[in-house]
Each structure stands twice: as structure tokens, then as C-alpha cells.
Amino acid sequence: MDFIKAAKTEDFSGTSWKTVKILAKNIGIFKREDGSFYAMEISCKHQQANLLANGLPKSGSIIKCTRHGWEYDLATGRCLTHPDGHADLRFYGTKVEEGVIFISAAPLPKD
């Protein structure tokens, strides 16, 4: 699997998330409480709006697209508006080496 340099761990001092553009896709990188990282696509499947354009939800993990109200669970990637799975957000592999966060070039396969 190919990985692309996406951020530095020092970018997360004082915040738990960041958005980056990788191969023309909006990707959210999130820092967990244990210090590990995960990444997922962060564009609404309806019209590709950046779901984090206005920041994270004040509480919980449910975020609503500002364009047409599609809802997603940022913890699982599930689209709550279309629960059949075709609109779920995909996760990307991450690895950290010497303070640099790398994101896989392709999304991880669905379980």
C-alpha cells in the first residue's frame, strides 16, 4: 500500500482534527485520546461538500452537511440519511514515522 505525507503530529497540539486534500479528496485526520490517529474521507457523498467546513460537532460524533442536511457518524463513517451503505464515508490507513503522519493513497477496503 502506498502512503502520502499528510501532516505532522505537532499540527495537533491544541486540536484533535485537521483536514487535508490528498489526491483531490478532502480527508479528515483525527487524533484519538490515546494519541493514535485515524483518517477518513470527509466530503458528503451527495455533492462533495467538506463536512468539517464549520468544524466538529459541539458534542457527539454526528455531523450534518451544511448543503442539504445529510448526516454522518464520524466515529463509524456511516451515512445516517442513507443507511444502505452506499453513501458511507471511507477510512484511510495511517502510519506515523518520526512525527510525520502518512495517509494511504487509497481507502481501506470495507469490512
Side-chain angles (χ1 to χ4, degrees), residues 41-58:
E41 62 185 348
I42 206 67
S43 293
C44 179
K45 296 293 187 154
H46 181 219
Q47 290 186 342
Q48 303 307 308
N50 184 339
L51 295 169
L52 293 177
N54 294 328
L56 285 176
K58 298 290 184 214

Side-chain angles (χ1 to χ4, degrees), residues 5-109:
K5 181 179 177 180
K8 295 181 178 179
T9 55
E10 65 190 36
D11 296 339
F12 290 84
S13 61
T15 188
S16 63
W17 66 279
K18 174 183 176 106
T19 59
V20 295
K21 199 157 257 297
I22 303 274
L23 302 174
K25 296 187 185 294
N26 290 316
I27 306 292
I29 303 171
F30 301 89
K31 183 178 182 181
R32 295 183 181 103
E33 288 185 21
D34 68 2
S36 64
F37 294 90
Y38 72 96
M40 66 190 306
E41 62 185 348
I42 206 67
S43 293
C44 179
K45 296 293 187 154
H46 181 219
Q47 290 186 342
Q48 303 307 308
N50 184 339
L51 295 169
L52 293 177
N54 294 328
L56 285 176
K58 298 290 184 214
S59 63
S61 62
I62 307 303
I63 195 161
K64 184 182 281 195
C65 179
T66 58
R67 287 196 187 160
H68 297 101
W70 284 30
E71 291 186 328
Y72 295 88
D73 184 339
L74 291 178
T76 65
R78 299 272 316 172
C79 177
L80 304 176
T81 308
H82 296 280
D84 60 6
H86 81 278
D88 291 351
L89 302 174
R90 297 174 297 175
F91 287 86
Y92 284 74
T94 60
K95 66 180 181 178
V96 178
E97 295 177 355
E98 298 179 12
V100 177
I101 303 167
F102 293 88
I103 304 297
S104 61
L108 298 171

